[in-house]
Amino acid sequence: MTEKIKGRELIARRIAKEFKDGDVVNLGIGMPTKVANYIPEGVEILLQSENGFIGIGAAPKEGEEDKDLINAGNQFVTVVPGACFFDSATSFGIIRGGHVDATVLGTLEVDQEGNIANYIIPGKMVPGMGGAMDLCTGVKKVIIATDHLDKKGRSKILKKCRLPLTAKKEANLIVTDFAVMEVTEKGLLLKEIAQGKTVEEVVNNTEADLIIAEDMKIMEVS
């Protein structure tokens, strides 16, 4: 099955394996929302949205959307039994108070020191920062979900971010369609490569310096 899974589906499926039963998780907009579709059987997590609730459920069927139920990315959602709602002040208090176990964020750039740039390209219109700054500094684990290369084929995993930073040294794990890399005190540790990739291919397509793990593995997905 792994051989047929590529691109962003591969990234979402691999990240879904990071969570354990009972975790409170915040998923950023765009690609990170796909992670919710692949949580392994037997693992129940609570999804938090910074616009004011915990307990996001599956995406609603077409025609059954509730206009009052949207996530922070303005997408229609459902809620699971036991979900709770609160104001934005409480929501950000939960994040800043360290009560969210993990967040999954997309990015424009990320570097070998764990710096994250995901909210602006100077001179261009982009969605903006939203709650990313609070999530990066308040959540226990920051997981970056990103294509390994940009639209021009350039590495998005850099030695040093060039765009304005969202957060400094806050990324813990980077998952791309090429590899899984952990940000460590010694540098960026290449731990897993995607099915069909080689270590040399990953290194040659990565600007950042990589430390090659002795127990290199093939990415397993849920």
Side-chain angles (χ1 to χ4, degrees):
M1 181 175 69
T2 303
E3 292 181 351
K4 300 178 181 178
I5 302 172
K6 298 179 179 178
R8 295 187 171 190
E9 183 182 354
L10 173 66
I11 296 169
R13 284 177 176 267
R14 174 58 188 83
I15 290 175
K17 290 177 63 66
E18 287 294 306
F19 307 126
K20 61 181 185 300
D21 206 31
D23 277 351
V24 177
V25 177
N26 181 294
L27 301 178
I29 64 174
M31 188 200 316
T33 62
K34 297 181 182 296
V35 174
N37 298 327
Y38 303 114
I39 302 302
E41 188 175 350
V43 176
E44 292 189 7
I45 64 172
L46 287 171
L47 294 176
Q48 189 261 2
S49 184
E50 59 262 43
N51 61 324
F53 58 104
I54 288 179
I56 298 174
K61 296 179 181 177
E62 187 174 351
E64 297 182 4
E65 299 91 347
D66 183 334
K67 64 179 179 61
D68 292 323
L69 281 180
I70 58 172
N71 63 17
N74 209 31
Q75 298 170 310
F76 289 114
V77 296
T78 62
V79 292
V80 299
C84 53
F85 300 84
F86 31 79
D87 59 23
S88 292
T90 301
S91 183
F92 278 85
I94 291 171
I95 295 169
R96 294 171 186 175
H99 304 292
V100 179
D101 295 292
T103 185
V104 183
L105 297 173
T107 197
L108 298 167
E109 295 177 347
V110 62
D111 70 28
Q112 62 195 42
E113 297 180 358
N115 297 315
I116 303 161
N118 77 345
Y119 83 101
I120 190 171
I121 299 175
K124 294 186 177 181
M125 291 292 293
V126 292
M129 186 175 291
M133 183 182 290
D134 297 85
L135 288 164
C136 286
T137 56
V139 171
K140 297 172 185 173
K141 183 174 184 178
V142 178
I143 302 171
I144 298 299
T146 181
D147 300 316
H148 202 91
L149 305 175
D150 67 15
K151 293 180 179 178
K152 295 183 178 179
R154 300 172 301 195
S155 175
K156 295 177 70 176
I157 320 302
L158 306 177
K159 293 180 184 295
K160 199 78 171 179
C161 286
R162 304 178 183 99
L163 296 173
L165 295 184
T166 305
K168 190 174 182 180
K169 297 185 178 180
E170 295 291 350
N172 300 114
L173 191 72
I174 304 168
V175 181
T176 77
D177 47 338
F178 279 49
V180 178
M181 294 151 283
E182 181 180 357
V183 182
T184 73
E185 293 183 355
K186 295 181 179 179
L188 204 53
L189 178 64
L190 176 61
K191 300 174 63 176
E192 302 175 21
I193 57 174
Q195 187 81 29
K197 301 292 184 186
T198 64
V199 171
E200 290 74 19
E201 187 175 3
V202 173
V203 171
N204 290 338
N205 284 279
T206 306
E207 182 192 294
D209 297 321
L210 296 175
I211 302 168
I212 312 302
E214 294 181 357
D215 59 341
M216 180 65 61
K217 299 176 181 176
I218 300 297
M219 287 170 66
E220 293 186 2
V221 297
S222 58

